Amino acid sequence: MLAIIGAMDEEIELLLADLQAREDLKLPGVTLHRGTLDGVEVLLTRGGIGKVNAAMTTTHLLVQGATRVIFTGVAGGVHPELRVGDIVVSTDLVQHDVDVSALGYDLGTVPGEPPAWAADPELRQVAVQAARTVEGVTVMEGRVASGDQFIASPQGVARLWQSFGAACAEMEGAAVAQVCAKAGVPFVVIRSVSDTADTGAPVDYREFMPRVARHAKQVVRGMLARLSGTPGQPTDAG
Ligand code: ADE
């Protein structure tokens, strides 16, 4: 079963509205919505903001039988070529706020874990194909840096770019990645750029979030069409 997670209501409500044969499953700390989207059986949920919520939600999804996980949402652009509305498909993910350097570990490395978690090649490919159908935006494959911080300064952007080579900053993806990797479950993170993580980020984020959330919906619908073996079908009416 395919799981689709968004951090916030805005990120999943467009998909939830189209979910067929919907059943709600209330679990400790999260509600999962089971049903079919474009003929694919899915578990859809709003996971909440931050790495702890993301890890908890992902664990629930795996226990309920998720065998592939897509995380969709918005991010702050870090790569200098990214503009609001552009889409990042994860190559791999790091936790930029982890610092065990006093014990000799590289910045971002959780002791006992890999320095980064690689996204699934097939899900990446399908995500890129679907993202390319969104008009007027750049689709970039790159590293997603996650941390429990909203990045809103040139220094914050420079740190993520120089220390991690991150394409974008968000607050959940690497936690989803870590849990999925431990369980051997393929995953991909798709992020639409709502701001460029600099001092204007809080204003841009509020202004552009609804528009870029629609991009995320279009990418997920395009992925579902491809994963159900019906590529080329219309996937989004707007
Ligand atoms: N999500 C969207 N914009 C973000 C930012 N600038 N930092 C962290 N998460 C974000």
Side-chain angles (χ1 to χ4, degrees), residues 182-237:
K182 278 185 179 276
V185 169
F187 65 88
V188 70
V189 174
I190 303 145
R191 292 283 184 175
S192 298
V193 174
S194 57
D195 57 81
T196 48
D198 55 17
T199 43
V203 172
D204 287 350
Y205 171 81
R206 290 197 179 93
E207 183 179 346
F208 294 117
M209 230 274 264
R211 172 157 77 87
V212 303
R214 290 166 72 89
H215 290 178
K217 174 203 167 182
Q218 188 173 344
V219 176
V220 172
R221 297 297 289 270
M223 287 186 74
L224 290 170
R226 285 166 175 79
L227 291 169
S228 68
T230 53
Q233 290 205 341
T235 54
D236 184 53

Side-chain angles (χ1 to χ4, degrees), residues 74-76 149-151 169-171 194-195 197 205:
V74 298
Q149 299 164 3
F150 187 89
I151 308 297
E170 42 84 296
M171 301 176 67
S194 57
D195 57 81
Y205 171 81

Side-chain angles (χ1 to χ4, degrees), residues 3-92:
I4 303 165
I5 318 174
M8 288 170 291
D9 283 331
E10 293 86 336
E11 292 168 335
I12 69 147
E13 66 191 7
L14 297 168
L15 293 166
L16 203 50
D18 293 337
L19 192 66
Q20 306 288 304
R22 172 174 160 181
E23 255 177 71
D24 294 344
L25 195 57
K26 269 193 187 313
L27 299 171
V30 69
T31 300
L32 309 183
H33 313 284
R34 198 196 302 267
T36 49
L37 259 182
D38 299 324
V40 179
E41 208 189 333
V42 299
L43 279 166
L44 177 64
T45 189
R46 179 183 66 87
I49 294 171
K51 294 192 299 176
V52 172
N53 279 324
M56 176 194 69
T57 301
T58 307
T59 305
H60 278 308
L61 287 166
L62 298 188
V63 170
Q64 293 302 319
T67 50
R68 292 189 281 195
V69 176
I70 298 172
F71 191 104
T72 164
V74 298
V78 169
H79 191 292
E81 282 165 24
L82 283 172
R83 301 285 171 266
V84 169
D86 289 346
I87 298 172
V88 177
V89 175
S90 62
T91 50
D92 61 358

Side-chain angles (χ1 to χ4, degrees), residues 127-143:
V128 168
Q129 285 169 357
R132 289 202 178 122
T133 67
V134 180
E135 278 177 25
V137 307
T138 297
V139 178
M140 181 180 283
E141 292 187 82
R143 172 170 284 177

